[in-house]
Amino acid sequence: MKENLRVLVTGAAGLVGAEVTARLAAAGHEVTALVHDNPVLVRNDGTTLENSAVTCLSGDVTKPRLGLPAAAYQALAAGGLDRIVHCAAITDFGLPDEVYQAVNVDGTAHVVELARAGGVPLVHVSTAYVCGERDGLIRETELDEGQRLANAYEQSKFRAETLVHKAQADGVRAAIVRPSIVVGEERTGVVRDYKNIYAVLKLATEGRVRSLPGQYEARLDLVPVDYVADVITEVTHRFDEAAGRTFHAVGAPLTLRDFSDVMAEYPPFQVPRFVPPTSFDAQRLPRRERLYYERVMALYESYFRRRMSFDASHTAGLTARRAPENGQDFLRRIFDHCLESGYLGAPPGADTDGDARPDVTGPHATVVAHGTGPAAVANGAGPAESDALGAGR
């Protein structure tokens, strides 16, 4: 590890990006945070990162030169950096394809261009779900296995990671970190932004959607945001060992049966029923339930039937930090915090017009208009990261 690294972090205002930025700054590195229009970096626990610890640079990953003035870009490319950590991404589901292309694919291409121009080692944050709808063990060494990618988000992250691999073949030194479904802090369950899987949990536990197509043996992999940030930071520090390799930042997989069993322990919660996909017919749902299903839950439907697990041998060999071993206990901590914060547990509000957009908000939550992606984590665009073009994850 080199002392006093000069590091550029894209997506620095995002959930994962802010935690990575904080760790690098605390280690004494000179950190430049690329942000779009929000210079305030808010950590997962809601505290603000001191301005003196980080230099915020206004930019836009969707634009050539990251939207920076020519002189500022040249200063970075001409020996001004020792590492680039690329966290910026759009993780919401249900958005137009061109949004994913602009941020996740073109944004990665622009970051790769900077890495190439300056000969700067790149740590690229991808998602474990580039595996698509494959079942079985997903290895860190695998990418293109002919898998079906379930949505435009996964497709864009697959294309972005492919760009990084091609850049590696051309001489760019890079390492890749693939988080799974990023959720709250390991010890407390605290999370800054109630997004991604949280929208699904809210609709399910409030009984707004009582039946879902899925298989009880299907697995979802939840990973604490602090663990993901620790892995990314370790890869950044130990880049010479990490270069050319991919690292899964994943947790303990939970089956849908595990989710159901833990939900049943909480008196305020409703427990959804999973129906074999071949028997499920959304048109038979009550009108309001169908609305929630079609506008939010249907975006996640493929995740309710996947039966994969993630190999993390590279990660285990690089860092002594371990993810939670007991997935059900970790899920309980997530639920406990959601109840304490008021995000979960309150009875559904008074009915509104049946054509209203589903409301899955809560204290400190963001409106989920189209549903949000599983990796993300941001990973996403919460209060401190709505400028996803510069912040993103």
Side-chain angles (χ1 to χ4, degrees), residues 59-73:
D60 183 342
V61 297
T62 70
K63 296 179 179 179
R65 298 198 315 260
L66 304 182
L68 299 173
Y73 184 84

Side-chain angles (χ1 to χ4, degrees), residues 140-197:
E140 292 161 304
T141 54
E142 298 170 336
L143 177 58
D144 190 349
E145 300 293 321
Q147 65 268 37
R148 180 183 183 274
L149 297 160
N151 49 55
Y153 166 73
E154 289 184 358
Q155 292 165 7
S156 69
K157 295 298 283 184
F158 177 88
R159 293 198 300 272
E161 190 170 323
T162 299
L163 285 176
V164 175
H165 280 282
K166 289 180 178 178
Q168 287 177 301
D170 293 337
V172 173
R173 299 184 71 211
I176 296 167
V177 179
R178 294 177 184 161
S180 54
I181 303 172
V182 182
V183 291
E185 196 264 340
E186 178 179 359
R187 185 177 58 84
T188 65
V190 168
V191 71
R192 189 188 76 182
D193 306 322
Y194 294 98
K195 296 189 62 185
N196 310 318
I197 193 69

Side-chain angles (χ1 to χ4, degrees), residues 336-376:
D336 288 346
H337 172 70
C338 287
L339 285 166
E340 291 167 4
S341 69
Y343 179 71
L344 296 181
D351 283 350
T352 56
D353 186 338
D355 292 325
R357 191 177 299 279
D359 178 11
V360 288
T361 63
H364 316 297
T366 56
V367 176
V368 180
H370 302 283
T372 52

